[in-house]
Amino acid sequence: MLDSRISRRAALMGAGAVVAWSASPARALLQAAGGGRVPAFVDDLIRRLTVEEKAGQLSLMASAWGGSSAASLNPPGNSDFPKQVEEARRGQLTGVFNGNGARMHRTLQTAAVRESRMKIPLIFGADIIHGHRTIFPVPLAEVASFEPELARRTAEAAAYEASGTGLDWNFAPMVDVARDQRWGRGVEGGGEDVLLNRLFAAARVRGFQGSNLKSDAHMLATAKHFAAYGAAEAGLDYNTVDISERTLREVYLPPFKAAFDAGALSTMASFNEISGVPSTGNPWLMNQLLRGEWGFDGFVVSDYTGDEEMIAHGFAKDARDATRLAFLAGVDMSMQSGFYRTHLPSLVQSGEVPQDRLDQSVRRVLAMKAMLGLFDDPFRRISERREESRSMNRRTLALSREAGRKSIVMLKNDGDLLPLPRSGKRIALIGPFAAGQHDLIGPWCVYGDDKKAVDLATGVREAVADRNSIVVAEGSGIVEALPGGIEQAVAAARTADIVVLAIGESQNMSGEAQSRTEIIVPEPQQQLAEAVAAVGKPTVVVLKNGRALALEGAVANAPAILVTWFLGTETGHSIADVLFGAYSPSARLPVSFPRESGQQPYYYAHKPTGRPNPEGKLEEYKARFRGLTNTALYPFGHGLTYGRIGYSDLALSARGMPMNGEISVSARVTNSGRRAAEEVVQFYVRDRTASVTRPVRELKAFRKVALAPGASQTVRFVLRPADLQFIGLQNRPTVEPGTFDVWIAPSAEADGLHATFELTA
Ligand code: BGC
């Protein structure tokens, strides 16, 4: 039921730019690959494989070709490439991941299809999280665009570059809802909101996979990490998840369902446990829910040594036990531990793993290789020529710049300090991110290169009339003070008319295993900000960040603040486009910026509690902290433009809605400013009373509207009872009559325009 809600909403309300729904893209893809059936030769092949060769088809290893930057992200364990080639010859490998380009892929594929006994092609996977060589904004940044179609386009462009080198399979998109900003991997996903996560998950899958998996310009997508990886206690990566089935179904699972409905045909089991059971060994999650209830047709891969880690979890006794548990729970393929190829043969011999089960997983993997066209031509994606010709071409770079500027959120712009004039002013660019080829592309880039990206100083110098009007001072290191740095920065600020202060997180402060206890601007940079603020020049803070930050002191008090995340190859150009007004900021926060780190996990769609914290003066014995209201400093959905946006004329088509009816809610949005703007009009709902308590607000739809100076537009949202569904007491989708609040508002915590209606039985 949840799926049809997305489609109906997309069609009727025009939420984002979601493409029209089609019943089952996964099925359509299967059909395109041979009538929706597993090709007959696959079963014939399975009959001829030894049990060792079958286990080999279920064993994936990191590429052993030295020098790949993947090696630093995930040490390969085996850096002996000739040995890996030999494994391919012996049929001990289904494929490798994070390898090193067309030449490496060709070498291994040749060994597999010319020299192995059964000549089964290898599959080549990789983490193409936000671009291959052309790097796009980190996924979280791109979600700030509130434009799923943009994500589809960048995913397609990333697949185009990556598949040119021989990559068939992407370990993306990450669709984990992240509500605790301490967690470092929030940067790879869709932020805190369920609807945004669903829309972006689907868009990215469509971009990576296209409409035909045999296309040499597309790749198989993996929805990861299944499931609830983002719900780790204390935001500590890999940590325990203890969660109700209701919250799982209502918050953490819907983005996966959206990805599968969009056609994703692989998924990755998450590292974490859920309520005592590691996902990698969870038959309820994979056999019952994923395959049984949802009818998932693809295959499941473990995360990197996820099966082995069940021993450390205290769930599996030893390697053999871990293999049995993971395999029987529904993990078809093991990544990196080598457990399956070592232990599956003896588990089948002893009868602990039924032969049929083994064949079933092998069939899923071989069917996927067939769908990817690998049996027709194992070299179809491997091309040294396309590897170069598709790399970093002009169109892709232009898309990176467009995606970059569409991802920048303007938090604040007191006195219309922004946009800055292009001439007549001296600008001091201060901070560790003002200049230099570092921290531009962001975390999780296996093939990207900071040295090929545009830094802020370059972008700014190109945008202004006189390059000499720009002075640069580093001022501070990222986590350490720079001797004499503050003095130099203060001197630069004194000579300038305007300061642009580029501060924040390095790219290795977010991403895998990069949880932080304090989500603040690192102390030496905060000191730099205080010293520069004391000079008294108008200051624009340009934040670099992979998560929401708790802004304080001179940073929070600066008259203008831009959130620029990690924007990728065209960073400097994208930021300059916004700074100097070539582009009016249009992005909105996909995560709430809290007042203090200690509020984590903080998300707008929280429950009210029995003692809600009222607006205004702090009251005793309410749900708030000592001395701090539990609201956001900048809430989810917040973001300003260069226009002057006003909301008026809220209208409901009726005050009541029957169970088989619908209601439309509209408002007028006006730009009374002198500059064109794009406003993200947001539609929130609250169910006042229900048999299960409901969040204080939930985003149900949004629309991005372009408004010329002086223009106004009526934006209409259509709501049906199915949109008011929640996971009820029996863990099933439920709709209950009652009173509902609706808001059309510029953010999750803005008053906006409000009304109520009744849903009648
Ligand atoms: C990450 C996955 C990734 C895999 C392979 C793991 O550490 O959790 O997201 O796909 O490594 O690089």
Side-chain angles (χ1 to χ4, degrees):
M1 288 181 89
L2 288 169
D3 337 327
S4 53
R5 286 172 53 193
I6 295 185
S7 59
R8 214 173 11 242
R9 187 178 302 115
L12 291 171
M13 305 180 189
V18 179
V19 294
W21 181 253
S22 90
S24 171
R27 217 135 284 156
L29 284 168
L30 283 166
Q31 240 131 38
R37 289 182 309 274
V38 175
F41 74 84
V42 166
D43 278 317
D44 186 44
L45 199 51
I46 291 174
R47 274 191 289 277
R48 291 158 51 214
L49 292 178
T50 64
V51 75
E52 285 75 18
E53 284 164 337
K54 289 177 184 174
Q57 284 307 312
L58 307 179
S59 298
L60 180 74
M61 302 302 270
S63 156
W65 181 291
S68 155
S69 51
S72 59
L73 297 167
N74 273 321
N78 163 24
S79 51
D80 185 345
F81 188 65
K83 183 166 166 246
Q84 195 159 63
V85 175
E86 188 52 31
E87 287 173 358
R89 266 188 210 112
R90 292 198 184 144
Q92 294 170 341
L93 273 180
T94 196
V96 300
F97 65 95
N98 289 346
N100 235 2
R103 200 152 68 86
M104 186 224 86
H105 292 140
R106 188 176 294 286
T107 309
L108 272 175
Q109 193 68 299
T110 305
V113 302
R114 303 248 160 85
E115 298 161 31
S116 72
R117 191 179 79 88
M118 296 306 294
K119 318 234 173 319
I120 298 175
L122 298 173
I123 186 171
F124 296 106
D127 292 277
I128 308 296
I129 309 298
H130 53 112
H132 176 249
R133 287 195 189 157
T134 305
I135 302 301
F136 299 105
V138 288
L140 180 64
E142 210 178 48
V143 170
S145 71
F146 275 62
E147 200 178 305
E149 173 60 12
L150 178 69
R152 191 200 60 74
R153 289 165 62 211
T154 61
E156 186 151 51
Y160 178 74
E161 273 191 4
S163 58
T165 74
L167 291 169
D168 310 294
W169 177 23
N170 196 358
F171 299 155
M174 186 186 102
V175 303
D176 297 311
V177 173
R179 294 186 153 185
D180 191 325
Q181 298 302 312
R182 291 171 297 182
W183 192 51
R185 294 198 82 170
V187 70
E188 287 176 58
E192 70 180 58
D193 178 63
V194 181
L195 175 65
L196 274 187
N197 266 284
R198 285 157 63 184
L199 295 174
F200 276 81
R204 288 179 171 141
V205 167
R206 292 191 177 106
F208 292 136
Q209 293 194 163
S211 56
N212 180 357
L213 277 177
K214 287 193 177 167
S215 150
D216 70 16
H218 292 90
M219 333 164 64
L220 170 65
T222 308
K224 72 184 188 186
H225 306 81
F226 196 62
Y229 182 43
E233 281 179 3
L236 175 66
D237 206 5
Y238 318 123
N239 206 13
T240 306
V241 173
D242 203 340
I243 199 172
S244 69
E245 186 179 333
R246 177 170 307 109
T247 303
L248 196 59
R249 285 183 181 274
E250 196 159 284
V251 176
Y252 293 94
L253 293 179
F256 285 94
K257 186 66 167 64
F260 300 139
D261 288 340
L265 282 162
S266 101
T267 187
M268 188 183 289
S270 61
F271 285 130
N272 55 285
E273 67 164 65
I274 302 176
S275 310
V277 183
S279 300
T280 311
N282 191 335
W284 174 80
L285 194 62
M286 288 174 289
N287 290 335
Q288 205 169 311
L289 185 122
L290 177 66
R291 294 200 184 278
E293 195 177 316
W294 289 358
F296 175 67
D297 283 325
F299 74 97
V300 182
V301 62
S302 79
D303 201 345
Y304 193 98
T305 63
D307 45 8
E308 179 175 354
E309 292 173 24
M310 290 199 292
I311 304 171
H313 271 287
F315 190 76
K317 199 164 69 224
D318 52 23
R320 193 168 187 278
D321 197 31
T323 306
R324 184 182 58 82
L325 287 166
F327 189 74
L328 292 179
V331 175
D332 299 298
M333 185 187 288
S334 162
M335 187 199 294
Q336 191 57 17
S337 66
F339 277 16
Y340 277 22
R341 64 186 184 192
T342 309
H343 299 289
L344 272 178
S346 85
L347 284 163
V348 172
Q349 253 143 34
S350 69
E352 287 162 275
V353 165
Q355 179 73 48
D356 281 2
R357 255 304 279 119
L358 182 69
D359 289 354
Q360 190 180 39
S361 288
V362 176
R363 187 176 298 111
R364 285 172 187 149
V365 170
L366 294 183
M368 191 58 59
K369 289 185 175 180
M371 284 177 64
L372 287 162
L374 293 172
F375 284 102
D376 308 333
D377 175 7
F379 298 93
R380 66 189 310 121
R381 290 186 184 79
I382 305 174
S383 162
E384 289 77 353
R385 188 180 53 76
R386 287 197 299 258
E387 177 164 40
E388 292 317 313
S389 67
R390 287 185 184 179
S391 173
M392 303 189 85
N393 64 40
R394 199 176 297 173
R395 230 180 38 192
T396 326
L397 290 172
L399 178 59
S400 176
R401 181 172 183 162
E402 176 192 345
R405 59 194 192 186
K406 284 181 166 173
S407 301
I408 297 172
V409 185
M410 184 162 74
L411 293 184
K412 193 177 176 188
N413 191 23
D414 288 355
D416 290 336
L417 175 55
L418 290 171
L420 301 177
R422 288 176 190 273
S423 61
K425 297 282 180 199
R426 216 172 140 72
I427 299 176
L429 280 184
I430 295 175
F433 305 109
Q437 303 308 121
H438 65 94
D439 295 288
L440 299 167
I441 59 177
W444 260 124
C445 288
V446 179
Y447 305 100
D449 186 355
D450 263 327
K451 306 233 160 21
K452 294 193 173 143
V454 181
D455 70 340
L456 180 60
T458 304
V460 166
R461 284 194 181 112
E462 281 178 26
V464 293
D466 175 10
R467 298 172 67 83
N468 298 322
S469 64
I470 306 299
V471 47
V472 174
E474 191 177 353
S476 167
I478 298 171
V479 289
E480 279 164 6
L482 202 65
I486 289 194
E487 291 73 17
Q488 183 207 16
V490 165
R494 285 213 178 98
T495 66
D497 302 303
I498 297 164
V499 171
V500 172
L501 189 60
I503 54 174
E505 297 184 300
S506 68
Q507 60 196 14
N508 59 18
M509 289 169 81
S510 57
E512 186 168 350
Q514 304 305 325
S515 300
R516 297 183 69 194
T517 51
E518 299 285 335
I519 51 169
I520 53 173
V521 170
E523 193 47 41
Q525 295 184 61
Q526 185 70 35
Q527 280 169 13
L528 171 69
E530 302 298 338
V532 168
V535 177
K537 298 291 168 69
T539 297
V540 181
V541 168
V542 171
L543 284 175
K544 198 170 264 301
N545 52 312
R547 53 164 62 77
L549 296 175
L551 306 177
E552 358 177 81
V555 179
N557 295 330
I561 306 175
L562 295 177
V563 174
T564 72
W565 322 98
F566 296 94
L567 296 179
T569 308
E570 289 287 303
T571 296
H573 289 145
S574 300
I575 299 177
D577 285 346
V578 169
L579 277 178
F580 297 98
Y583 185 78
S584 171
S586 63
R588 298 291 182 269
L589 290 179
V591 283
S592 305
F593 272 48
R595 295 173 190 278
E596 291 187 13
S597 303
Q599 286 175 271
Q600 292 306 303
Y602 183 87
Y603 47 93
Y604 83 90
H606 58 80
K607 297 295 185 71
T609 82
R611 294 190 177 192
N613 181 33
E615 295 278 323
K617 203 167 120 292
L618 284 178
E619 286 180 31
E620 284 300 337
Y621 298 101
K622 297 291 183 192
R624 51 96 160 168
F625 296 94
R626 284 177 65 83
L628 186 75
T629 168
N630 194 28
T631 53
L633 182 60
Y634 292 106
F636 171 92
H638 172 77
L640 303 175
T641 70
Y642 289 153
R644 280 257 174 288
I645 308 295
Y647 287 66
S648 64
D649 304 315
L650 184 75
L652 271 66
S653 60
R655 287 281 160 197
M657 159 157 74
M659 278 293 178
N660 59 356
E662 62 178 45
I663 193 171
S664 82
V665 185
S666 64
R668 198 156 189 76
V669 186
T670 304
N671 178 9
S672 59
R674 286 201 307 263
R675 288 173 167 273
E678 277 180 281
E679 176 70 359
V680 179
V681 183
Q682 299 156 47
F683 181 54
Y684 293 94
V685 168
R686 176 176 180 175
D687 184 345
R688 284 212 183 154
T689 317
S691 55
V692 171
T693 60
R694 305 300 304 144
V696 295
R697 276 194 198 185
E698 281 180 284
L699 184 68
K700 290 292 174 186
F702 56 87
R703 179 100 53 84
K704 201 170 184 178
V705 291
L707 295 164
S712 68
Q713 198 176 315
T714 296
V715 178
R716 188 179 312 280
F717 299 100
V718 176
L719 200 64
R720 290 204 167 93
D723 297 311
L724 304 172
Q725 200 172 252
F726 60 93
I727 303 297
L729 277 176
Q730 309 307 323
N731 288 329
R732 295 215 190 87
T734 309
V735 186
E736 289 175 0
T739 307
F740 290 80
D741 294 287
V742 287
W743 291 265
I744 292 183
S747 84
E749 290 178 12
D751 291 340
L753 306 172
H754 169 252
T756 62
F757 72 90
E758 298 290 321
L759 177 65
T760 52

